[in-house]
């Protein structure tokens, strides 16, 4: 399992945006071990997620991760729920969400159902930022495609000129 795992998506219209938004249409993520047998060491989580042990400890220290259980010897033991949370954090990082906002979101999640409204607002604002970045990237891609087409045509034209001058 990695943060970059691909999932199927569906398109849906949102009430506060005319632009289509992709939503996850895949079923629950498959975990390396079934619930109840999901006691992962930090090195196993590093292998599953691609994160470093330093990053995992930092996430816990700053409050981005809830307290991680420990073995009787004090070693961290992560669960499938922790892996799911790390996957979400990875997605939030890809959105460009500031770490402070991710920590705030984590605090809100730990705050329970009474924080749904605040979570909603935070995620809507993040989606707005992502959509703006996507528009910028699509414009940039159009420029790149134009330039690539120009050089491809110029190369073909140049090759044709060389062939006719031989």
């Amino acid at each position: 399992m990695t943060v970059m795992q691909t999932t199927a998506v569906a398109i849906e219209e949102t009430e506060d945006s005319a632009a289509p938004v992709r939503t996850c249409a895949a079923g629950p993520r498959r975990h390396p071990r079934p619930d109840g047998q999901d006691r992962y060491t930090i090195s196993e989580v590093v292998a599953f997620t691609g994160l470093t042990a330093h990053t995992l400890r930092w996430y816990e220290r700053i409050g981005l991760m809830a307290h991680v259980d420990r073995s009787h010897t004090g070693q961290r033991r992560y669960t499938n729920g922790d892996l799911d949370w790390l996957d979400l954090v990875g997605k939030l990082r890809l959105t460009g969400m500031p770490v402070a906002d991710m920590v705030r979101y984590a605090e809100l999640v730990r705050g329970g159902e009474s924080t749904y409204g605040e979570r909603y607002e935070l995620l809507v604002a993040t989606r707005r930022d992502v959509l703006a970045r996507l528009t910028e990237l699509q414009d940039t891609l159009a420029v790149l495609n134009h330039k690539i087409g120009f050089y491809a045509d110029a190369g073909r034209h140049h090759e044709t000129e060389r062939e006719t001058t031989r």
Side-chain angles (χ1 to χ4, degrees):
M1 176 178 104
T2 67
V3 171
M4 301 300 291
Q5 184 172 5
T6 303
T7 59
V9 295
I11 303 293
E12 76 179 32
E13 292 286 328
T14 62
E15 61 188 58
D16 54 273
S17 170
V21 177
R22 295 174 182 262
T23 57
C24 182
R29 172 176 299 284
R30 291 179 51 109
H31 296 108
R33 295 186 193 129
D35 290 342
Q37 298 174 20
D38 58 334
R39 303 319 260 174
Y40 305 102
T41 65
I42 198 165
S43 58
E44 289 174 314
V45 174
V46 164
F48 297 147
T49 65
L51 297 169
T52 65
H54 174 79
T55 298
L56 291 168
R57 288 189 289 270
W58 180 65
Y59 282 0
E60 190 177 353
R61 190 168 53 250
I62 66 172
L64 190 51
M65 295 247 351
H67 173 75
V68 176
D69 286 336
R70 305 284 180 129
S71 70
H72 68 284
T73 60
Q75 294 178 319
R76 287 172 176 83
R77 292 292 184 239
Y78 295 86
T79 65
N80 288 335
D82 294 325
L83 295 180
D84 292 341
W85 178 256
L86 289 169
D87 186 57
L88 174 62
V89 167
K91 300 288 191 271
L92 294 177
R93 284 180 57 220
L94 289 172
T95 71
M97 180 185 275
V99 172
D101 287 350
M102 288 190 287
V103 170
R104 177 67 184 140
Y105 182 78
E107 291 168 350
L108 292 170
V109 168
R110 288 190 291 272
E113 291 182 13
S114 65
T115 67
Y116 278 7
E118 287 181 79
R119 286 188 248 174
Y120 171 85
E121 293 301 326
L122 183 58
L123 294 176
V124 165
T126 300
R127 178 180 60 196
R128 191 172 25 254
D129 294 343
V130 168
L131 289 170
R133 284 184 38 229
L134 283 171
T135 299
E136 290 172 359
L137 287 171
Q138 288 168 339
D139 291 346
T140 302
L141 182 59
V143 169
L144 288 172
N145 286 338
H146 174 76
K147 290 293 188 183
I148 289 168
F150 172 81
Y151 290 117
D153 290 344
R156 283 192 291 272
H157 179 71
H158 183 70
E159 289 294 321
T160 304
E161 278 184 10
R162 273 199 287 174
E163 289 175 8
T164 58
T165 59
R166 289 186 193 187

